[in-house]
Amino acid sequence: MENYIEYTVLYNVLFNIKNFSTTGNRAFIEDIQEDIKLAKNIDYSIKTQAEYNKKQNFIEASHGPKRSAMFLLNYFGELYLHEGSLTIEADDPTTGKAVHMNTYQLSLKDLNTHTKLYQGNPTKEDRPYDFNTKFKAQKTYFKESGKLVDTTGNPWDSFQNVYTEPYRTLDFKGAFWKSGNEHSVHYILQLQEDTNLACYIAGTKITKKIIFEPLPTALQYYQKYFEVLELIEFFNKHWYLTWDNFIFNSIPATVV
């Protein structure tokens, strides 16, 4: 069995599971039995937060279709942001005489690992953050003179305290994220249920003012993101459903 599942396959699995659950029509899952088994295998191989917290190798109740829908949510959110333009106001670690507004192009650190869900958990050696940045522009506000100056040609990176093109690392978190797993990045981006894209200073709940411009082609991922939010709501209501409910030799006579 493969050591990964394509997110496009996982999308098909989860929505067909929902359709089967609401109609009882086995045709929705007849032809995807191997995909369902693969999704289960991948999910079971990835340690959950509950397992880490309780120092247990496996807690079955913390796995299931809902958890995989959370991974799928992140997938669509990350692809929505990929190659988009992000402007961060006051992109400085501390307040000084100058305030910098930097514009970056976001790019996923490793696109391959963001189109497939792999077995197991990433390690520190994998440096598992999501986005790198490519510097595009800088405007600097000088408090004493009150002037706003375009300093793109000679930019200042206030995190390094040196004249160089600033560079940032960012993580994306889905709408249900509250804290943790921040991977030592500069900022956290979160696409929230109210459609707001929030930017947090990593390790805090302090937000930065931002402007984000996605690629026109990325809007399809934005729409899918909110479809998956509705899917997660379905699994919240049907919390008792496990993978075995959808594998034929394990399906009970009535699922819902």
Side-chain angles (χ1 to χ4, degrees):
M1 186 170 284
E2 297 280 2
N3 69 340
Y4 66 84
I5 186 169
E6 298 272 0
Y7 274 110
T8 51
V9 173
L10 185 60
Y11 175 88
N12 186 57
V13 164
L14 293 174
F15 276 91
N16 276 284
I17 278 176
K18 177 185 176 183
N19 290 334
F20 168 68
S21 299
T22 54
T23 67
N25 184 352
R26 292 194 177 198
F28 283 111
I29 59 172
E30 281 176 348
D31 295 333
I32 60 169
Q33 284 292 294
E34 293 307 309
D35 291 338
I36 295 172
K37 293 174 185 176
L38 176 59
K40 174 184 175 181
N41 180 59
I42 298 299
D43 171 33
Y44 278 24
S45 76
I46 303 171
K47 210 169 178 67
T48 67
Q49 195 60 48
E51 288 162 353
Y52 277 119
N53 293 342
K54 296 181 180 180
K55 298 181 179 180
Q56 296 183 25
N57 288 331
F58 185 70
I59 303 173
E60 187 171 14
S62 65
H63 293 268
K66 175 186 171 182
R67 183 187 185 223
S68 290
M70 294 290 192
F71 289 124
L72 188 64
L73 185 72
N74 283 353
Y75 161 73
F76 285 121
E78 290 159 2
L79 286 191
Y80 167 63
L81 297 176
H82 181 53
E83 300 294 346
S85 173
L86 178 70
T87 298
I88 304 174
E89 296 187 21
D91 183 20
D92 306 291
T94 57
T95 302
K97 294 181 179 180
V99 179
H100 302 89
M101 181 170 65
N102 294 321
T103 299
Y104 306 97
Q105 183 180 44
L106 299 179
S107 62
L108 284 165
K109 183 181 68 120
D110 184 349
L111 186 58
N112 188 52
T113 61
H114 291 272
T115 56
K116 302 178 179 73
L117 181 61
Y118 285 87
Q119 282 185 340
N121 297 79
T123 65
K124 289 183 179 180
E125 289 73 23
D126 295 323
R127 301 184 68 219
Y129 65 89
D130 294 323
F131 288 97
N132 292 314
T133 58
K134 181 179 179 181
F135 174 73
K136 305 296 288 186
Q138 182 179 85
K139 292 183 179 179
T140 303
Y141 176 72
F142 295 97
K143 293 181 180 179
E144 291 182 356
S145 65
K147 291 182 178 180
L148 181 65
V149 180
D150 188 331
T151 52
T152 303
N154 188 31
W156 175 259
D157 187 344
S158 54
F159 279 82
Q160 299 185 66
N161 286 318
V162 64
Y163 283 103
T164 189
E165 290 189 353
Y167 167 80
R168 305 288 180 260
T169 56
L170 302 97
D171 251 354
F172 175 79
K173 302 297 181 185
F176 300 102
W177 173 82
K178 296 188 183 300
S179 64
N181 299 317
E182 296 176 10
H183 302 146
S184 300
V185 295
H186 293 101
Y187 298 114
I188 301 290
L189 293 173
Q190 182 183 39
L191 186 53
Q192 299 173 330
E193 288 183 86
D194 62 4
T195 74
N196 178 55
L197 180 64
C199 179
Y200 297 97
I201 299 173
T204 78
K205 281 300 180 181
I206 300 171
T207 58
K208 289 286 189 181
K209 291 183 179 180
I210 60 171
I211 300 170
F212 178 69
E213 298 177 23
L215 293 179
T217 54
L219 294 179
Q220 61 179 310
Y221 303 119
Y222 178 86
Q223 293 167 349
K224 294 289 187 185
Y225 182 88
F226 288 99
E227 284 182 20
V228 176
L229 274 181
E230 294 180 3
L231 179 68
I232 291 171
E233 184 176 341
F234 168 81
F235 284 125
N236 279 335
K237 291 178 181 177
H238 301 82
W239 53 268
Y240 49 85
L241 294 176
T242 69
W243 292 115
D244 287 341
N245 287 111
F246 310 104
I247 296 171
F248 277 160
N249 61 9
S250 302
I251 294 177
T254 302
V255 175
V256 294

